[in-house]
Amino acid sequence: MAAPGQAAAPASGRAARIGISGVERVYASTRSSVTALHDLTTEVPGGQFLSLLGPSGCGKSTLLRLIAGLEHPTSGTIEVGGTTVTAPHPDLGMVFQEDLLMPWRTVIDNILLQADVRRADRKAMRDRARELLAQVGLEACENKYPRELSGGMRQRVGICRAILHDPRLLLMDEPFAALDAMTRDQMAVDLADMAAQRDTTVVFVTHSISEAVFLSDRILVMSPRPGRVVADITVDLPRPRGLHVRETPRFADYVGQVTEVFEDLGILRDRRPAGHHEGTQR
Ligand SMILES: Nc1ncnc2c1ncn2[C@@H]1O[C@H](COP(=O)(O)OP(=O)(O)OP(=O)(O)O)[C@@H](O)[C@H]1O
């Protein structure tokens, strides 16, 4: 994956390509039916860092669950690594808004849960878990319990768990949404550093335009429900990217480009003079 904190890892070709073709997802009950996604077609090359941006309820989480194989499209197909997704597939890491750590397990045992469910060699995985903890500055915390950690620390542990088995695909559903702004910035840098060291495709859901621009190779902007892709923006900012990239005119241009799409959709309303972009949730 090409991520902002460091130079991109050399692509080994192992990162999963995603193919989404004519995907529709309708949630039907006896009383009503909701079309969450409508006729979604796109391809995500292996190793790309893709962000999904869109208003609440436009189907971003639904799309992640479909890619993960946790649920199925009503019509259309999704391929991951050349295979049609019909069930949850193992070569995947997932991170959610809530850290989902088990309170009765220590930090290291929470990470090793990934090894336990896969019946992997616990000893080898323990060494790897320690390496990952060191990468995110939590080497002194391996025997602590989640209640002893801050929200940002817990979310770092969640990310370590998600990538312990070196998945070819990482799906992240608003992983930093519950964190304060400064922790969130640091998490973006940490994620960038971790991502840069492995060849993984990432699909990242966020409501933050600047977070999406900072992290991504590409941003898909989705319309209000039923979710469709209304803009497909390649973020061609040089890497490595540090937080200072946010002060550059090119960064502002990308933020402005995405903001305009939201203004055109009527989701952001700008009462300031033309050219001055300051929306919510940047
Ligand atoms: N299991 C379900 N049953 C019925 N409707 C559902 C189900 N899951 C999602 N939906 C509906 O599908 C639409 C898309 O939901 P989804 O959670 O994918 O949106 P989202 O873009 O991730 O929203 P948010 O940004 O608020 O998390 C919403 O209208 C939601 O109510």
Side-chain angles (χ1 to χ4, degrees):
M1 152 171 44
Q6 295 182 350
S12 64
R14 67 181 290 283
R17 170 194 159 276
I18 307 171
I20 299 171
S21 179
V23 163
E24 174 125 343
R25 179 61 169 117
V26 180
Y27 292 104
S29 70
T30 45
R31 281 178 296 122
S32 64
S33 132
V34 173
T35 303
L37 294 171
H38 176 66
D39 196 18
L40 203 76
T41 297
T42 192
E43 184 169 321
V44 187
Q48 187 163 76
F49 195 119
L50 175 78
S51 284
L52 301 177
L53 261 178
S56 191
C58 74
K60 303 180 295 295
S61 302
T62 299
L63 183 56
L64 279 199
R65 289 196 297 274
L66 295 176
I67 295 171
L70 297 172
E71 53 184 82
H72 307 295
T74 310
S75 57
T77 55
I78 297 190
E79 281 183 11
V80 171
T83 305
T84 302
V85 177
T86 53
H89 45 100
D91 204 358
L92 175 81
M94 284 195 87
V95 183
F96 300 91
Q97 182 173 338
E98 312 81 36
D99 56 65
L100 303 180
L101 299 181
M102 295 184 166
W104 60 88
R105 281 189 170 226
T106 60
V107 161
I108 192 111
D109 281 337
N110 261 292
I111 298 176
L112 287 170
L113 187 65
Q114 186 73 260
D116 297 345
V117 294
R118 291 165 192 278
R119 300 203 170 90
D121 175 2
R122 224 174 188 264
K123 183 171 176 329
M125 286 298 195
R126 181 177 290 273
D127 291 343
R128 187 169 153 67
R130 288 189 171 130
E131 271 170 37
L132 290 171
L133 279 171
Q135 267 180 41
V136 294
L138 292 181
E139 57 273 55
C141 296
E142 70 169 72
N143 293 316
K144 289 191 191 287
Y145 287 89
R147 64 176 176 275
E148 299 175 272
L149 307 181
S150 69
M153 291 158 106
R154 284 200 299 272
Q155 200 53 296
R156 284 189 182 90
V157 175
I159 294 173
C160 291
R161 182 171 66 190
I163 61 176
L164 182 72
H165 56 301
D166 227 356
R168 299 193 310 147
L169 172 62
L170 182 60
L171 303 178
M172 307 186 86
D173 197 350
E174 297 189 63
F176 310 148
L179 306 176
D180 65 83
M182 208 180 281
T183 307
R184 204 171 165 139
D185 284 351
Q186 187 57 52
M187 291 296 294
V189 173
D190 287 352
L191 172 62
D193 285 347
M194 294 176 98
Q197 293 174 32
R198 37 193 65 80
D199 188 12
T200 310
T201 308
V202 182
V203 184
F204 184 89
V205 169
T206 178
H207 283 107
S208 163
I209 296 174
S210 65
E211 194 167 82
V213 173
F214 176 72
L215 284 167
S216 309
D217 299 313
R218 178 180 168 209
I219 299 172
L220 294 185
V221 183
M222 292 171 68
S223 67
R225 204 184 73 214
R228 290 170 298 111
V229 173
V230 288
D232 185 341
I233 297 168
T234 300
V235 183
D236 187 18
L237 289 169
R239 297 181 184 276
R241 293 175 200 164
L243 285 174
H244 59 82
V245 77
R246 299 181 308 182
E247 313 307 324
T248 63
R250 285 184 67 198
F251 188 91
D253 282 349
Y254 282 115
V255 170
Q257 215 176 308
V258 179
T259 303
E260 262 171 42
V261 177
F262 283 118
E263 285 170 352
D264 290 347
L265 288 170
I267 291 160
L268 287 176
R269 286 180 298 282
D270 191 353
R271 293 198 180 83
R272 289 170 183 259
H276 185 130
H277 292 291
E278 191 187 341
T280 55
Q281 302 174 332
R282 301 268 167 98

